[in-house]
Amino acid sequence: NAGVTQTPKFQVLKTGQSMTLQCAQDMNHNSMYWYRQDPGMGLRLIYYSASEGTTDKGEVPNGYNVSRLNKREFSLRLESAAPSQTSVYFCASSERDRDYGYTFGSGTRLTVV
Amino acid sequence: AQSVTQLGSHVSVSEGALVLLRCNYSSSVPPYLFWYVQYPNQGLQLLLKYTSAATLVKGINGFEAEFKKSETSFHLTKPSAHMRDAAEYFCAVSESGGYQKVTFGTGTKLQVIP
């Protein structure tokens, strides 16, 4: 089925460890996004990529880096994980036009101990 | 900066009763507005969107929302709740510009009581 695929679905890290969350979409969308979801705070934008070759910071970028590898793939890296980064992470994609709406992946539940 | 306020983090309705989930927005330009639904342990799914055409927007699963500029509101309604409607609902507003960047509300969890 067409859509946004995120891996892994679950991960437990120790403080200070690093990891990369993978995201791929097969809808030929230009724009891709990484959000984190925390209870009572809704979704907060970490980074986004308006088109292949560009990335920009969102609302909460500290502690994260991203790579837009090609049009399909957009990865999120935690260089040195902290307990404050325990969250559910969602990748999303959309067409460039603002009226299209997002397609979301199923999420990665990350726990940092 | 744009923002969205969802009134009520939890709403409970009886099965068959009217569902009303409230959303107010702030925007300096004509907004594009969205409602998303999130079922447990899943990603968000687009329910409906307002993009400056008809002010009453119909979405999936029998939901609809009405854009009221004078009240800066975009409330979500459904005439008769089903058990399967139990989920978390997010209102969102899109910034202006050549690409889409969306600000989400904090969500409203809908409980449907049998």
Side-chain angles (χ1 to χ4, degrees):
Chain A
N1 290 337
V4 177
T5 302
Q6 289 184 238
T7 56
K9 292 190 181 301
F10 301 93
Q11 184 71 49
V12 179
L13 289 178
K14 294 182 178 178
T15 298
Q17 286 185 319
S18 63
M19 78 162 296
T20 300
L21 280 64
Q22 307 286 352
C23 175
Q25 53 93 7
D26 57 6
M27 297 168 289
N28 203 36
H29 285 169
N30 288 302
S31 302
M32 298 185 74
Y33 311 82
W34 276 105
Y35 283 88
R36 61 177 289 173
Q37 183 179 30
D38 301 292
M41 304 190 74
L43 278 79
R44 293 181 291 169
L45 183 65
I46 305 171
Y47 271 93
Y48 64 97
S49 171
S51 61
E52 184 179 359
T54 68
T55 61
D56 286 285
K57 295 179 180 180
E59 182 184 355
V60 288
N62 291 344
Y64 305 95
N65 284 299
V66 290
S67 296
R68 184 75 182 265
L69 303 171
N70 47 55
K71 191 171 185 178
R72 291 186 64 248
E73 299 172 287
F74 188 40
S75 63
L76 178 71
R77 183 160 179 83
L78 286 70
E79 291 291 351
S80 179
S84 62
Q85 294 179 304
T86 294
S87 186
V88 181
Y89 292 85
F90 287 100
C91 179
S93 70
S94 72
E95 282 296 314
R96 186 185 297 272
D97 294 338
R98 61 190 281 238
D99 64 345
Y100 193 79
Y102 285 0
T103 300
F104 281 85
S106 58
T108 296
R109 188 173 295 273
L110 175 67
T111 302
V112 183
V113 298
Chain B
Q2 299 192 149
S3 65
V4 168
T5 302
Q6 291 185 240
L7 299 176
S9 58
H10 291 80
V11 170
S12 294
V13 299
S14 298
E15 191 174 14
L18 171 72
V19 176
L20 171 61
L21 304 182
R22 300 178 185 274
C23 173
N24 288 89
Y25 69 90
S26 172
S27 174
S28 58
V29 299
Y32 284 9
L33 294 159
F34 306 83
W35 277 100
Y36 287 84
V37 60
Q38 184 180 32
Y39 298 103
N41 299 315
Q42 295 186 28
L44 280 72
Q45 177 184 0
L46 183 64
L47 202 54
L48 51 80
K49 60 185 179 183
Y50 166 75
T51 58
S52 74
T55 56
L56 182 63
V57 180
K58 295 187 183 298
I60 61 173
N61 301 337
F63 284 92
E64 63 182 35
E66 186 172 9
F67 173 69
K68 293 187 176 180
K69 184 178 179 180
S70 61
E71 299 177 8
T72 62
S73 69
F74 190 57
H75 301 331
L76 182 70
T77 60
K78 182 174 181 177
S80 177
H82 292 270
M83 296 299 296
R84 63 176 177 267
D85 296 327
E88 189 161 18
Y89 293 80
F90 292 89
C91 183
V93 61
S94 172
E95 292 187 2
S96 61
Y99 56 85
Q100 190 183 64
K101 197 169 69 172
V102 177
T103 300
F104 288 85
T106 54
T108 298
K109 284 189 177 178
L110 176 66
Q111 179 187 22
V112 181
I113 303 168

